[in-house]
Amino acid sequence: MSQDKVSAAVTSFDSPRCNKLVDRIKTAHELTFYLKQPLPVGLFEELKRVSAREAHFPIEVIVEDFQDVKYLRKLHAAGFSLFYGLGLPTESVVFLDSNRGFLLESDGVDSSSSLRELRNSQELYFKLLWRRFGNAVVLSGLTKERDVEARLICLAGEDGNELWCRHKEELIIQVPRVGAKIEVFAWEKWNSHILEILDLNVIEPRAGMAQ
């Protein structure tokens, strides 16, 4: 099931159970998701409503090998703290504070989900804290330097800081020319000084685009 031992008591993820989970979320002080697939739509919408409130508890989302960049941007845009994880459980897990956890299992046949309450919630919660290796950021600025072959861009931010960014090898993008104003959605991995670009938008081409 995972690289950590996860024990659970089976419960179904039907509407009444989902409503009970939402009710518990409203009384939580912290909410943490380790996602392997998108959240159930109703749950995501409720979390967005919670996050939109002026005073709300932290909502953290940690993902691994998540290929849907548009969905990652939705999570970030909703106000969730988005982290890059490694060695996560093979199924999605949600923690209400540190002492209550649930396993969200998705059925690939009919896209339904089941909800399992974890028996070792607190132990797993603290173990997984060490599986975070970066966070998502959205930055804008000017392209100061570039290396097309190495897929590198030096981004000069509005605050005067300069950051090197590299887009993933499998990500096909045009490298903006020097002077272009851009916005990047990227992983800021804590073991590297180079950001990993997930998505790039050119705001003002200025000198045009490289071929």
Side-chain angles (χ1 to χ4, degrees), residues 138-142 155-159 161 181-184 203:
V138 175
L139 301 171
S140 60
L142 299 178
L155 177 69
E158 297 175 355
D159 57 2
N161 290 330
K181 186 174 182 180
I182 62 174
E183 178 193 78
V184 297
I203 302 172

Side-chain angles (χ1 to χ4, degrees), residues 128-146:
L128 290 175
L129 287 177
W130 299 97
R131 302 295 175 85
R132 307 180 188 194
F133 295 91
N135 59 282
V137 294
V138 175
L139 301 171
S140 60
L142 299 178
T143 305
K144 184 175 181 180
E145 298 181 52
R146 66 177 191 153

Side-chain angles (χ1 to χ4, degrees), residues 51-148:
S51 183
R53 297 170 189 161
E54 186 173 345
H56 64 84
F57 52 78
I59 301 176
E60 298 182 338
V61 179
I62 302 90
V63 298
E64 179 180 12
D65 296 330
F66 212 101
Q67 303 301 319
D68 190 342
V69 174
K70 289 184 178 180
Y71 189 75
L72 291 178
R73 292 207 71 149
K74 286 182 180 179
L75 293 172
H76 190 270
F80 306 161
S81 297
L82 186 59
F83 296 92
Y84 175 81
L86 288 173
L88 304 185
T90 56
E91 299 287 351
S92 295
V93 176
V94 54
F95 291 98
L96 281 66
D97 302 317
S98 63
N99 57 0
R100 193 79 188 272
F102 299 90
L103 191 70
L104 292 171
E105 291 185 314
S106 178
D107 187 336
V109 177
D110 59 9
S111 299
S112 63
S113 297
S114 61
L115 183 68
R116 299 169 180 258
E117 185 165 355
L118 301 175
R119 296 195 183 100
N120 58 340
S121 295
Q122 198 161 59
E123 177 186 356
L124 184 61
Y125 174 87
F126 287 110
K127 279 186 177 180
L128 290 175
L129 287 177
W130 299 97
R131 302 295 175 85
R132 307 180 188 194
F133 295 91
N135 59 282
V137 294
V138 175
L139 301 171
S140 60
L142 299 178
T143 305
K144 184 175 181 180
E145 298 181 52
R146 66 177 191 153
D147 185 329
V148 177

Side-chain angles (χ1 to χ4, degrees), residues 137-146 152-166 182 184 186-188 192-197:
V137 294
V138 175
L139 301 171
S140 60
L142 299 178
T143 305
K144 184 175 181 180
E145 298 181 52
R146 66 177 191 153
L152 281 169
I153 300 169
C154 180
L155 177 69
E158 297 175 355
D159 57 2
N161 290 330
E162 296 179 4
L163 292 170
W164 281 96
C165 312
R166 177 187 285 119
I182 62 174
V184 297
W187 288 124
E188 184 177 14
S192 173
H193 64 281
I194 299 176
L195 274 63
E196 182 181 286
I197 298 174

Side-chain angles (χ1 to χ4, degrees), residues 6-21:
V6 179
S7 58
V10 180
T11 56
S12 63
F13 196 81
D14 53 14
S15 294
R17 173 59 64 177
C18 185
N19 290 338
K20 288 182 180 179
L21 178 59

